[in-house]
Amino acid sequence: MRIGIFGAGGMAEALGGQWAKAGHEVMVAARDRAKAAEISPRVGTWAETARASEVILLAVPAASVTEVLAMAGNLAGKVLIDCTNAVGPGAVLTVPDQAARIAAAAVGAHVVKAFNLCHVDVWRMTPPVFGGRPLAVPICGDKVGEVSELVRDLGCVPLVAGGLDRAALMEATMAFTVGLWFDGHDAQACFPPLPA
Ligand SMILES: NC(=O)c1ccc[n+]([C@@H]2O[C@H](COP(=O)([O-])OP(=O)(O)OC[C@H]3O[C@@H](n4cnc5c(N)ncnc54)[C@H](OP(=O)(O)O)[C@@H]3O)[C@@H](O)[C@H]2O)c1
């Protein structure tokens, strides 16, 4: 798959690095080209990276997505993975529906919410398996085939969880569980196993 990554921070390095190892062509666009080159030898401008890619991971802070998408230009037909978390102090959402905001800015793109629930260190694990159970990764969007493949490339299990209209629930889930974790609670212990 030809994957573009917007941003060269932790999430870009963790996910992009794993996908490159899995054999995908990864191209990175970032303000700092030297940082981008640490992730992949293929570095482009925002627009070059957009044009060259079938799937793009948007891995910049939530507050900068509109600015970055404007620099990227036409994204019609591309799968745009939104892993962003618009969360502020006290684990509250600073934007009520970040994925919808991204979809409005990236006209014609297939926005897919994924990879926002876990800390970057989890995405660096090869593979993320806990208690013998591979990590399940919820995906919300209307074109989920490519993202499901990219989830499997991490050794995780894709969990198709509805359309982009469900993405705000994933964003709220992230804020709620992060709040629990920060307070020292085991968020996973809130949920009974499926047979129950
Ligand atoms: N870290 C996590 O555990 C985690 C987990 C799940 C989801 N996320 C989400 O993933 C996204 C990326 O997180 P991260 O941890 O990778 O962040 P990060 O390490 O801080 O990297 C952010 C990247 O975005 C770039 N950037 C910042 N402001 C920009 C702007 N105005 N225009 C263009 N580029 C800009 C930074 O460039 P410079 O280096 O030039 O500043 C950097 O390349 C965020 O939305 C975050 O909420 C993070």
Side-chain angles (χ1 to χ4, degrees), residues 100-124:
R101 188 166 75 132
I102 289 170
V107 178
H110 302 282
V111 178
V112 177
K113 189 97 199 179
F115 307 112
N116 72 313
L117 289 188
C118 292
H119 188 268
V120 63
D121 288 343
V122 173
W123 303 123
R124 292 196 175 103

Side-chain angles (χ1 to χ4, degrees), residues 58 60-63 65-66 69 75 79-87 93-116 138-142 162-172 174:
L58 184 55
V60 295
V65 294
T66 316
L69 291 172
L75 295 177
V79 173
L80 181 62
I81 304 174
D82 167 23
C83 71
T84 67
N85 282 323
V87 65
L93 294 176
T94 54
V95 174
D97 192 340
Q98 168 76 350
R101 188 166 75 132
I102 289 170
V107 178
H110 302 282
V111 178
V112 177
K113 189 97 199 179
F115 307 112
N116 72 313
I139 301 170
C140 288
D142 70 348
L164 199 65
D165 55 337
R166 309 277 299 167
L169 298 175
M170 273 174 71
E171 293 164 5
M174 176 281 308

Side-chain angles (χ1 to χ4, degrees), residues 6 17 36 40 49 51 62 72-73 97 99 110 113 116 126 133 149 151 163 175 183 186 194:
F6 289 165
S40 171
T49 301
R51 276 195 298 275
D97 192 340
H110 302 282
K113 189 97 199 179
N116 72 313
T126 51
R133 202 165 55 149
E149 186 184 331
V151 167
D183 286 344
D186 178 2
L194 184 60

